Amino acid sequence: MSGAIEASGGISLKHRLRRAERLTRLKYLGLIAPLAVFLLLTFVWPIGSLLYRSIDNPEVVGALPRTVQALGNWDGKDLPDDAVFDALAADLSVDRRSPVLAGAAKRLNMEMSGFRSLLINTARKLDQQPGQSAKAAILAAEPRWGDIEIWRIVARNRSSVTPFYLLSALDLRIGDDGGIVRAPDDQAIYVDILIRTLWMSVFVTFWCLLLGYPLAYLLAQVSTGASNLLMILVLLPFWTSILVRVAAWIVLLQKEGPINKALIALGLINDPLQLVFNRFGVYIAMVHILLPFVILPLYAVMKSIPPSYMRAAISLGCPPFKSFWKVYFPQTLPGVGAGGLLVFILAMGYYITPALLGSPKEQMASYFVAFYTNETINWGMAAALSAVLLVATLILYVFYARYFGPARAKQITPR
Amino acid sequence: MQPSKSLLALALALGTTSLFATRTLADDLTVISFGGAVQKAQQKAYYDAFTKESGINVIAGEYNGEQAKIKAMVDTRNVTWDVVEVESAELYRGCEEGIYQELDYTKIGDKKDFLPKAVSECGVGTFVWSTVLAYDGDKLKTPPASWQDFWDVKKFPGKRGLRKGAKFTLEIALLADGVKPDDVYKVLATKEGVERAFKKLDEIKANIQWWEAGAQPPQMLAAGDLVMSSAYNGRIATAQSEGKNLKIVWNGSIYDADHWAIPRGTPKLEQAYKFIAFASRPGPQQVYSSQITYGPTNLKAVEGLDPKRVAELPTAPKNLEGALASNTQFWVEHGEELEQRFNAWAAK
């Protein structure tokens, strides 16, 4: 057989097969190339450059190039030698009102309040007389340059990448001896915020699953007409603007709102309850907003489960609840996993709902990302917090994929 | 979509060419401010009167304070905005970064005629706004007199509103703790001072309702959610004109100014100076403050104003007693650290 083919073509079958395969593979690649380029441009590249911002540190190197070079072999024990002061004087005399210098001043001020005026004032006041050393002139302009701590901060920024933002996002900083230490208690905030973000997301996910599961089950069981009506009731709020829904919750839950008024009228309470601008209000609104994200995947999975399985289990003598638990529920696990993961990841990034319905004790990580992006224009810190949030989410996703993912689901469904 | 886009481009092209044409033909001056009610008052008080007096036509524009736009103009040496209204912190940073021209005060007026807060290297203050203690006159029978009363939860039970952020909140805490207005920033610059402010805030932490937008305090006060609140004086004046009986306590108010500045490299430097000098005179500033409840920066402008109106302005001599000038430089230096500390404190 193989001899016949070889005789007719002159080339081996293997060879031709490989060539045909290569051609199809190229065709496939050509077909997915636009998508790959699109993903690269709109997803990988922006996220990559965002993550890079969390270690990017161009300001000091850009404004004080000679100084950072001269500081290259400084041991950090005594004041730097005259060569370093000469370099600083040379750097500062180039352009005393340059935006580059202002950028470096802003960056150094993040490490130590007051550095901004130190650098700017030195640049303005520096007036080196002939015969005067640069060191004397600089110290005359700003005596604070005689402090070693100031020089340690400059030296710490002689590289164009820095761990500063990422460490800050984990409530850590570089100590005097160069080692990593914990931030003082009154400045430590982000670890608590991250734990809070995770905890609130878990809590919201739990309640979404608890409330969404029976509803999805109902949707899957009732007649088409009724399920269509119910589905519209689920989708209508889903399509409504999130701001409208949040504002509606404020109206409902506020002190003079209908819920408090009704409870007082019923005689259940005497004074209005604080239902909004606290954790309770945030949970209520988040569960309400995220509920459709768990109902829809659960419904899709439940619709695909043939009712005959349950009937078979019951007709073979298994009690109804046990057959639900042993036969039906395991088959819905992929839906539970998908819906839960979707809600969890969305909840991790929640910003507007806690901002409007919560107190400062309810703000999640993304609130601080927005704070640094818009208000203080400290994009390094915003990027670092995003990176920490992204890593935390990815770790949880890996965990999910390991225990609920497609591989695991396959083991369950064929049973 | 397409036709409207090309129409827009055409309009833009026409607009720019006509702008260039007039710029070369006549002695026009482009003045940019924050728009809205502020610009309306400026048009009446400054732009029209200035044109009448000097023959220089004013092209009024508006922006939202974006410094990037001005920076781009200065960097590319294509400055088409001649005079710009800027807020304090932006002016301070812009001056450092070389975006704004250092001013020659001999061309503007005597520095002594202005509020100290209004005089700076690259800008002249044009009006003053204030953060005040406000309450609803219908609900509080005994009016509060100071931030000390704000802290008195027994005498005035209920929630208090403060702006969510370290700026102004820490100053208010120190004022309530008995620090004199002149010493507030000296105290706040020390570690112990910051501790003291946060300790003071701890006393009423459970009673604070934080607000973020300037429109919130008058609304929350009127709705009875708050017993008193810090608020911007202009917002309270607006609510008053809408018939609400909200009251202002000027004692311990914190004021700040908006400024005129000249982007570095404008070809109309002389005209820009002329305009700023005109807008800094008592007469035009009086007209401005009769239009809107923001205070004139020229100390002489208050003298000729209707006494009833003066009582509503942050710069009225009586209202300035016990008032505190917001220290821009302090906040540019310490803002990051204190805001972070505030966030950490508020989140616990």
Coordinates of all heavy atoms in Angstrom, one line a residue, chain B residues 42-89:
Chain B
Q42 N -18.0 87.3 36.2 CA -16.8 87.8 35.7 C -17.0 88.7 34.4 O -16.5 89.7 34.2 CB -15.8 86.7 35.4 CG -15.1 86.2 36.6 CD -14.4 84.9 36.4 OE1 -14.7 84.1 35.5 NE2 -13.5 84.5 37.2
Q43 N -17.9 88.1 33.6 CA -18.3 88.9 32.4 C -18.7 90.3 32.7 O -18.3 91.2 32.1 CB -19.4 88.1 31.6 CG -19.8 88.7 30.3 CD -18.8 88.4 29.2 OE1 -18.3 87.2 29.1 NE2 -18.4 89.3 28.4
K44 N -19.6 90.3 33.7 CA -20.2 91.6 34.0 C -19.2 92.5 34.7 O -19.1 93.7 34.4 CB -21.4 91.4 34.9 CG -22.3 92.6 35.1 CD -23.7 92.2 35.5 CE -24.5 93.4 35.6 NZ -25.8 93.2 36.4
A45 N -18.5 91.9 35.7 CA -17.6 92.8 36.5 C -16.3 93.1 35.8 O -15.8 94.3 35.9 CB -17.3 92.1 37.8
Y46 N -15.8 92.2 35.0 CA -14.4 92.4 34.5 C -14.4 92.6 33.0 O -13.9 93.6 32.5 CB -13.5 91.2 34.9 CG -13.4 91.0 36.4 CD1 -13.5 89.7 36.9 CD2 -13.3 92.1 37.3 CE1 -13.5 89.5 38.3 CE2 -13.3 91.9 38.7 CZ -13.3 90.6 39.2 OH -13.3 90.4 40.5
Y47 N -14.9 91.6 32.3 CA -14.6 91.5 30.8 C -15.2 92.8 30.1 O -14.5 93.5 29.4 CB -15.2 90.2 30.2 CG -14.7 89.0 30.8 CD1 -15.3 87.8 30.6 CD2 -13.5 89.0 31.7 CE1 -14.8 86.6 31.1 CE2 -13.1 87.8 32.2 CZ -13.8 86.6 32.0 OH -13.3 85.4 32.5
D48 N -16.5 93.0 30.3 CA -17.2 94.1 29.6 C -16.6 95.4 30.0 O -16.3 96.3 29.2 CB -18.7 94.1 29.9 CG -19.4 92.8 29.4 OD1 -18.7 92.2 28.5 OD2 -20.5 92.5 29.7
A49 N -16.4 95.6 31.3 CA -15.9 96.9 31.8 C -14.4 97.1 31.3 O -14.1 98.3 31.0 CB -15.9 96.9 33.3
F50 N -13.7 96.1 31.3 CA -12.3 96.2 30.8 C -12.2 96.6 29.3 O -11.4 97.5 29.0 CB -11.5 94.9 31.0 CG -10.1 94.9 30.5 CD1 -9.2 95.7 31.1 CD2 -9.7 94.0 29.5 CE1 -7.8 95.6 30.7 CE2 -8.4 94.0 29.0 CZ -7.5 94.8 29.6
T51 N -13.0 96.0 28.5 CA -13.1 96.3 27.1 C -13.5 97.8 26.9 O -12.9 98.5 26.1 CB -14.1 95.4 26.4 OG1 -13.8 94.1 26.7 CG2 -14.1 95.7 24.9
K52 N -14.5 98.2 27.7 CA -14.9 99.6 27.7 C -13.8 100.6 28.0 O -13.6 101.6 27.3 CB -16.1 99.8 28.7 CG -17.2 100.7 28.2 CD -18.3 100.5 29.1 CE -19.3 101.7 29.0 NZ -20.3 101.6 30.1
E53 N -13.0 100.2 29.0 CA -12.0 101.1 29.4 C -10.8 101.1 28.5 O -10.2 102.2 28.2 CB -11.6 100.8 30.9 CG -10.7 101.9 31.5 CD -10.1 101.5 32.8 OE1 -9.0 100.9 32.8 OE2 -10.7 101.7 33.8
S54 N -10.3 99.9 28.1 CA -9.0 99.8 27.4 C -9.2 99.7 25.9 O -8.2 99.8 25.2 CB -8.3 98.7 28.0 OG -9.0 97.5 27.7
G55 N -10.3 99.3 25.5 CA -10.5 99.0 24.0 C -10.0 97.6 23.7 O -10.0 97.2 22.5
I56 N -9.5 96.9 24.6 CA -9.0 95.5 24.4 C -10.2 94.6 24.5 O -10.8 94.5 25.5 CB -7.9 95.1 25.3 CG1 -6.7 96.0 25.2 CG2 -7.5 93.7 25.1 CD1 -5.6 95.9 26.3
N57 N -10.4 93.8 23.4 CA -11.6 92.9 23.4 C -11.2 91.7 24.2 O -10.1 91.1 24.0 CB -11.9 92.6 22.0 CG -13.2 91.9 21.9 OD1 -14.1 92.1 22.7 ND2 -13.4 91.0 20.9
V58 N -12.1 91.2 25.1 CA -11.8 90.0 25.8 C -12.6 88.8 25.2 O -13.8 88.9 25.0 CB -12.3 90.2 27.3 CG1 -12.1 88.8 28.1 CG2 -11.4 91.2 28.0
I59 N -11.9 87.8 24.9 CA -12.5 86.5 24.5 C -12.6 85.6 25.7 O -11.5 85.2 26.2 CB -11.7 85.8 23.4 CG1 -11.6 86.8 22.2 CG2 -12.4 84.5 22.9 CD1 -10.6 86.3 21.1
A60 N -13.8 85.4 26.2 CA -14.0 84.6 27.4 C -14.0 83.1 27.1 O -14.8 82.7 26.2 CB -15.2 85.0 28.1
G61 N -13.3 82.3 27.8 CA -13.3 80.9 27.6 C -13.5 80.2 28.9 O -13.4 80.8 29.9
E62 N -13.7 78.9 28.9 CA -13.8 78.2 30.2 C -13.1 76.8 30.1 O -12.9 76.3 29.0 CB -15.2 78.0 30.6 CG -16.1 77.2 29.6 CD -17.5 77.0 30.2 OE1 -18.3 77.9 29.9 OE2 -17.7 75.9 30.8
Y63 N -12.7 76.4 31.3 CA -12.0 75.0 31.4 C -12.3 74.5 32.7 O -13.0 75.1 33.5 CB -10.5 75.1 31.1 CG -9.6 75.6 32.2 CD1 -8.4 74.9 32.4 CD2 -10.0 76.7 33.0 CE1 -7.6 75.4 33.4 CE2 -9.1 77.1 34.0 CZ -8.0 76.4 34.2 OH -7.1 76.8 35.2
N64 N -11.9 73.2 33.0 CA -12.2 72.6 34.3 C -10.9 72.5 35.1 O -10.8 71.6 36.0 CB -12.8 71.2 34.0 CG -14.2 71.3 33.7 OD1 -14.9 72.1 34.2 ND2 -14.6 70.4 32.7
G65 N -10.0 73.4 34.9 CA -8.8 73.3 35.7 C -7.7 72.4 35.2 O -6.8 72.1 36.0
E66 N -7.9 71.8 34.1 CA -6.9 70.8 33.6 C -5.6 71.5 33.3 O -5.5 72.3 32.4 CB -7.3 70.1 32.3 CG -8.7 69.6 32.3 CD -9.7 70.6 31.7 OE1 -9.3 71.8 31.7 OE2 -10.7 70.2 31.2
Q67 N -4.5 71.2 34.0 CA -3.3 71.9 33.9 C -2.5 71.3 32.6 O -1.7 72.0 32.1 CB -2.4 71.8 35.1 CG -3.0 72.4 36.3 CD -3.2 73.9 36.1 OE1 -2.3 74.7 36.0 NE2 -4.5 74.3 36.1
A68 N -2.9 70.1 32.3 CA -2.2 69.5 31.2 C -2.3 70.3 29.9 O -1.3 70.4 29.1 CB -2.7 68.1 30.9
K69 N -3.5 70.9 29.7 CA -3.7 71.7 28.5 C -2.8 72.9 28.4 O -2.2 73.2 27.4 CB -5.2 72.2 28.6 CG -5.9 72.0 27.3 CD -7.4 72.4 27.6 CE -8.3 71.8 26.6 NZ -9.7 72.1 27.0
I70 N -2.7 73.6 29.6 CA -1.8 74.8 29.6 C -0.4 74.4 29.5 O 0.4 75.0 28.8 CB -2.1 75.5 30.9 CG1 -3.6 75.9 31.1 CG2 -1.2 76.8 31.0 CD1 -4.0 76.4 32.4
K71 N 0.0 73.3 30.1 CA 1.4 72.8 30.1 C 1.8 72.5 28.6 O 2.8 72.8 28.2 CB 1.5 71.5 30.9 CG 2.9 71.1 31.1 CD 2.9 70.0 32.2 CE 3.8 68.9 32.0 NZ 5.2 69.3 31.6
A72 N 0.8 71.9 27.9 CA 1.1 71.6 26.5 C 1.3 72.8 25.7 O 2.2 72.9 24.8 CB -0.1 70.8 25.9
M73 N 0.5 73.9 25.9 CA 0.7 75.2 25.2 C 2.0 75.8 25.5 O 2.7 76.2 24.6 CB -0.4 76.2 25.7 CG -1.7 76.0 25.1 SD -2.7 77.4 25.7 CE -4.3 76.7 25.4
V74 N 2.4 75.7 26.8 CA 3.7 76.4 27.2 C 4.8 75.6 26.6 O 5.8 76.1 26.0 CB 3.8 76.5 28.7 CG1 5.1 77.0 29.1 CG2 2.7 77.4 29.3
D75 N 4.7 74.2 26.7 CA 5.8 73.4 26.2 C 6.0 73.5 24.7 O 7.2 73.5 24.2 CB 5.6 71.9 26.5 CG 5.8 71.6 28.0 OD1 6.3 72.5 28.7 OD2 5.4 70.5 28.4
T76 N 4.9 73.7 23.9 CA 5.0 73.8 22.5 C 5.2 75.2 22.0 O 5.2 75.5 20.8 CB 3.8 73.2 21.8 OG1 2.6 73.8 22.3 CG2 3.7 71.7 22.0
R77 N 5.3 76.1 23.0 CA 5.4 77.6 22.7 C 4.3 78.1 21.8 O 4.6 78.9 20.9 CB 6.8 77.9 22.0 CG 7.9 77.3 22.8 CD 9.0 78.3 23.0 NE 9.9 77.8 24.1 CZ 11.0 77.1 23.9 NH1 11.4 76.8 22.7 NH2 11.7 76.7 24.9
N78 N 3.1 77.6 22.0 CA 2.0 78.1 21.2 C 0.9 78.5 22.2 O -0.1 77.8 22.3 CB 1.5 76.9 20.3 CG 0.4 77.4 19.4 OD1 0.2 78.5 19.2 ND2 -0.4 76.4 19.0
V79 N 1.1 79.5 22.9 CA 0.2 79.9 24.0 C -0.9 80.8 23.4 O -0.6 81.9 23.0 CB 1.0 80.7 25.1 CG1 0.0 81.1 26.2 CG2 2.1 79.8 25.6
T80 N -2.1 80.2 23.5 CA -3.3 81.0 23.0 C -4.2 81.5 24.1 O -5.1 82.2 23.9 CB -4.1 80.2 22.0 OG1 -4.4 78.9 22.6 CG2 -3.3 79.9 20.7
W81 N -3.9 81.0 25.4 CA -4.6 81.5 26.5 C -3.7 82.6 27.2 O -2.6 82.3 27.5 CB -4.9 80.4 27.5 CG -5.9 79.4 27.0 CD1 -6.6 79.5 25.8 CD2 -6.4 78.3 27.7 NE1 -7.4 78.4 25.7 CE2 -7.4 77.7 26.8 CE3 -6.2 77.7 28.9 CZ2 -8.0 76.5 27.2 CZ3 -6.9 76.6 29.3 CH2 -7.8 76.0 28.4
D82 N -4.3 83.8 27.4 CA -3.4 84.8 27.9 C -3.5 85.0 29.4 O -2.5 85.3 30.1 CB -3.8 86.2 27.2 CG -3.7 86.0 25.7 OD1 -2.7 85.5 25.3 OD2 -4.7 86.4 25.0
V83 N -4.8 84.9 30.0 CA -4.9 84.9 31.4 C -5.8 83.7 31.8 O -6.8 83.4 31.1 CB -5.7 86.2 31.8 CG1 -5.9 86.3 33.3 CG2 -4.8 87.5 31.4
V84 N -5.5 83.1 32.9 CA -6.2 81.9 33.3 C -6.5 82.0 34.8 O -5.7 82.4 35.6 CB -5.3 80.6 33.1 CG1 -6.2 79.4 33.2 CG2 -4.7 80.6 31.7
E85 N -7.7 81.5 35.1 CA -8.1 81.4 36.5 C -7.6 80.0 37.0 O -8.0 79.0 36.4 CB -9.6 81.5 36.7 CG -10.1 81.4 38.1 CD -11.6 81.3 38.2 OE1 -12.3 81.7 37.3 OE2 -12.1 80.6 39.2
V86 N -6.9 80.0 38.1 CA -6.4 78.7 38.6 C -6.6 78.6 40.1 O -6.6 79.6 40.8 CB -4.8 78.6 38.4 CG1 -4.6 77.5 37.4 CG2 -4.1 79.8 38.1
E87 N -6.7 77.4 40.6 CA -6.8 77.2 42.1 C -5.4 77.2 42.7 O -4.4 77.1 42.1 CB -7.5 75.8 42.3 CG -9.0 75.9 41.9 CD -9.7 74.5 42.1 OE1 -9.0 73.6 42.5 OE2 -10.9 74.5 41.9
S88 N -5.4 77.3 44.0 CA -4.2 77.6 44.8 C -3.1 76.5 44.5 O -2.0 76.8 44.2 CB -4.5 77.7 46.3 OG -5.2 78.8 46.5
A89 N -3.5 75.2 44.7 CA -2.5 74.2 44.6 C -1.9 74.1 43.2 O -0.7 73.9 43.0 CB -3.1 72.8 45.0

